[in-house]
Amino acid sequence: QLAGLAVIAFGLWLRFGGVMADFASDKKSPEYFFMGLYVLVGAGALMTTVGFFGCCGAARESQCLLGAFFACLLVIFAAEVTAGVFAFIGKKVAIQEAQKVYEDIYDDYMKNPGGKVNRTIYRYHLALQCCGKDNTEQQMGLPCPENIQMPKASNCLVEIHNVIDANLHLVGIVGIAIAGITIFGMIFSMVLCCVIRNTRDMI
């Protein structure tokens, strides 16, 4: 249950907090990346629910509930492995999608510098601590944050790549950790189930 709640909190933090929240606040958000986070939150909710039934099975010494708990953990484990493979395979697509979002907003700004997109592109620059797509951007009047670190100011597309790559690595680490907990849960549930059965046979 605690692991499930941790996964939910982690998924929601990536979705609504930090740099990625700025991409989500625009209509042109990288849905491919966020779909993975929705799956992560869903898996966490399922783990929390399954954990509750596992506690009930252990408390009531029910082989049926413990068997169902084991089966659910097996399904969750398979889903975690699939999601992890999907995340690593789809990393390139997610990065390209997020970069395309920025390029579309950049092009909109260039067509109409005084429009609504001015605030949007500034928000991205502030979150990513970058400015434009090459070294000449700051001379073109782009809305950029003050005191920006110059080595990072040259290319927002590179920063987008770095941010999503780092976040997906975090997702991978959390997924591996939760998969390990899931394996232990399956082992302990089977051990407990066998102990209950042996105890009843002796009685």
Side-chain angles (χ1 to χ4, degrees), residues 26 105 116-125:
D26 193 80
I105 292 169
K116 270 186 182 179
V117 75
N118 183 68
R119 185 171 17 173
T120 303
I121 198 169
Y122 175 77
R123 189 175 67 242
Y124 286 179
H125 289 163

Side-chain angles (χ1 to χ4, degrees), residues 188-201:
F188 291 143
S189 64
M190 280 295 97
V191 169
L192 185 57
C193 196
C194 291
V195 169
I196 292 170
R197 184 176 61 204
N198 292 336
T199 303
R200 287 179 179 174
D201 288 343

